[in-house]
Amino acid sequence: MICLGIESTAHTFGVGIVKGKKVIANAKSSYSTESGGIIPANAAEHHVNACADLITKAADQAGINLKDIDLIAFSQGPGIGHCLRIGAMSARALSCFLEKPIVGVNHCVAHLEIGKMLTGAKDPVLLYVSGANTQVIAFDNGKYRIFGETLDIGIGNFLDSFARHIGLGFPGGPKIEALAKKGKKYIDLPYCVKGMDVSLGGILTNVKQKHNSGNYAKEDLAYSVQETVFSMLLEVSERALFHCSKKELLLGGGVACNTRLKQMSMEMCRANTFKCFFVDNEYNVDNGAMIAWLGLKKFKEGKKQKIEDTSIRPYWRTDED
Ligand code: AMP
Ligand code: MG
């Protein structure tokens, strides 16, 4: 079976095509800004302008005709309403035009399932670290569950906000990573693990105040930020692994491109004889291939949707799938 998947939860409009277990196309275009964050209406406008070309581009990449497609999948949530709506409309239009079934999928679960498919991990705990989302997810006891999550902002937004504060542009994560490599001294920062959840808002205020005081080198602050928040995330992930008696850690989301996070993940796994899995960065960031793959999986499991059941779900939680 061939499935075309559309991703549009936030900044990226992606169109991926999978044939069985093979990704045969993964086209995308991302909205970016000179300064500041995502303006929902502008991101949606980007998606409107990009959608038709990307669908054609994906079909060309895959070397197929649109009529060869058996199934249309799309990100139904969670995400920014303005953006989700464009992906959902494109998917509905394709489904009606091609007279093929449509399946809406959960974006966070898609990160987990594409990771399993690409790496061969069987039953991992996913540390999902993206701009807006920060969750420790696993399929356990019959459903997807969240074992820990941020209580306030996502880790990517946290890094981007700090980067913006010290004069670096968007996306800030890679810039903080580069700066952190030059840091030498660990500066004490609040360490905020609350039960199985993490809180990042207070650390952001604290590190901004430290920067404003002029007493700290920004390289040392970047280094200390990474060491602190990545440790918090791995502490929660490690506990989730023991709690679920699982042996595999998988990383996903844009922040999973960070080499220090990967290194710390491998160290934690080595210490516990867990296996550690990463995907190529193309699949860490938002992409249509993961939506196509999860759509196909859900369809084969029997999920059927009518067009009138395809309303977007901006607040769809992973544990409601
Ligand atoms: P996503 O929402 O999954 O597309 O991820 C976007 C987020 O990933 C942004 O907040 C980026 O700053 C962050 N990001 C991308 N590359 C890196 C990196 N190398 N280190 C840390 N964060 C990163
Ligand atoms: Mg994502």
Side-chain angles (χ1 to χ4, degrees):
M1 272 187 89
I2 298 181
C3 178
L4 179 144
I6 296 179
E7 158 59 31
S8 76
T9 52
H11 43 67
T12 297
F13 195 94
V15 182
I17 303 178
V18 300
K19 183 176 184 178
K21 279 198 164 189
K22 205 162 169 242
V23 176
I24 55 174
N26 199 20
K28 62 169 152 272
S29 169
S30 294
Y31 158 87
S32 60
T33 63
E34 290 291 321
S35 63
I38 300 176
I39 298 167
N42 295 354
E45 194 181 328
H46 162 270
H47 296 354
V48 168
N49 293 330
C51 63
D53 284 351
L54 283 169
I55 291 167
T56 313
K57 191 172 167 190
D60 288 349
Q61 261 182 24
I64 60 161
N65 196 298
L66 285 181
K67 65 178 185 334
D68 300 330
I69 291 162
D70 301 298
L71 176 69
I72 309 295
F74 72 102
S75 261
Q76 200 167 356
I80 301 169
H82 293 65
C83 302
L84 284 168
R85 215 162 272 129
I86 310 306
M89 278 169 50
S90 309
R92 285 184 211 119
L94 271 179
S95 164
C96 293
F97 177 67
L98 299 170
E99 298 181 329
K100 297 294 174 190
I102 184 167
V103 170
V105 302
N106 182 293
H107 174 95
C108 308
V109 173
H111 275 288
L112 175 63
E113 291 300 336
I114 192 80
K116 278 165 64 183
M117 195 268 266
L118 293 171
T119 63
K122 300 243 161 0
D123 185 21
V125 167
L126 171 72
L127 173 56
Y128 173 36
V129 279
S130 75
N133 297 302
T134 301
Q135 298 180 346
V136 177
I137 308 170
F139 189 84
D140 196 52
N141 213 354
K143 64 181 284 209
Y144 295 99
R145 293 170 198 270
I146 301 171
F147 289 92
E149 63 190 311
T150 178
L151 294 170
D152 38 46
I153 50 175
I155 176 81
N157 288 354
F158 165 88
L159 294 170
D160 294 339
S161 301
F162 177 52
R164 198 151 63 227
H165 188 79
I166 62 175
L168 306 172
F170 174 85
K175 292 173 182 151
I176 297 289
E177 175 173 13
L179 206 57
K181 287 198 177 119
K182 298 185 205 142
K184 292 190 181 65
K185 195 168 138 223
Y186 181 78
I187 297 158
D188 245 345
L189 294 175
Y191 184 94
C192 304
V193 174
K194 308 201 172 188
M196 286 294 283
D197 297 324
V198 298
S199 168
L200 298 167
I203 305 176
L204 181 60
T205 306
N206 186 284
V207 76
K208 280 180 178 173
Q209 283 169 347
K210 286 200 163 82
H211 175 261
N212 293 349
S213 75
N215 295 331
Y216 303 93
K218 58 183 188 301
E219 291 80 4
D220 291 337
L221 287 174
Y223 165 71
S224 308
V225 157
Q226 285 200 165
E227 296 301 306
T228 306
V229 297
F230 294 165
S231 299
M232 287 162 45
L233 294 171
L234 287 168
E235 177 192 328
V236 174
S237 304
E238 183 179 32
R239 248 183 293 134
L241 276 149
F242 277 106
H243 174 74
C244 303
S245 305
K246 297 196 193 292
K247 301 265 175 224
E248 300 170 330
L249 176 71
L250 172 69
L251 255 56
V255 181
C257 301
N258 187 289
T259 45
R260 180 61 184 143
L261 178 61
K262 289 185 199 178
Q263 194 183 25
M264 289 169 74
S265 302
M266 285 191 292
E267 279 167 23
M268 185 276 277
C269 287
R270 201 174 303 125
N272 292 302
T273 63
F274 299 147
K275 281 188 184 161
C276 194
F277 294 93
F278 311 123
V279 294
D280 286 346
N281 287 345
E282 177 186 2
Y283 300 101
N284 272 330
V285 297
D286 292 348
N287 64 91
M290 67 179 190
I291 304 304
W293 169 244
L294 180 58
L296 193 58
K297 183 175 187 294
K298 290 279 174 188
F299 186 77
K300 285 185 172 164
E301 287 168 8
K303 182 164 181 174
K304 301 260 163 16
Q305 260 171 297
K306 296 196 186 106
I307 290 284
E308 50 271 37
D309 299 332
T310 56
S311 303
I312 59 163
R313 300 177 67 180
Y315 299 100
W316 191 5
R317 279 179 63 81
T318 311
D319 45 13
E320 291 165 349
D321 187 31

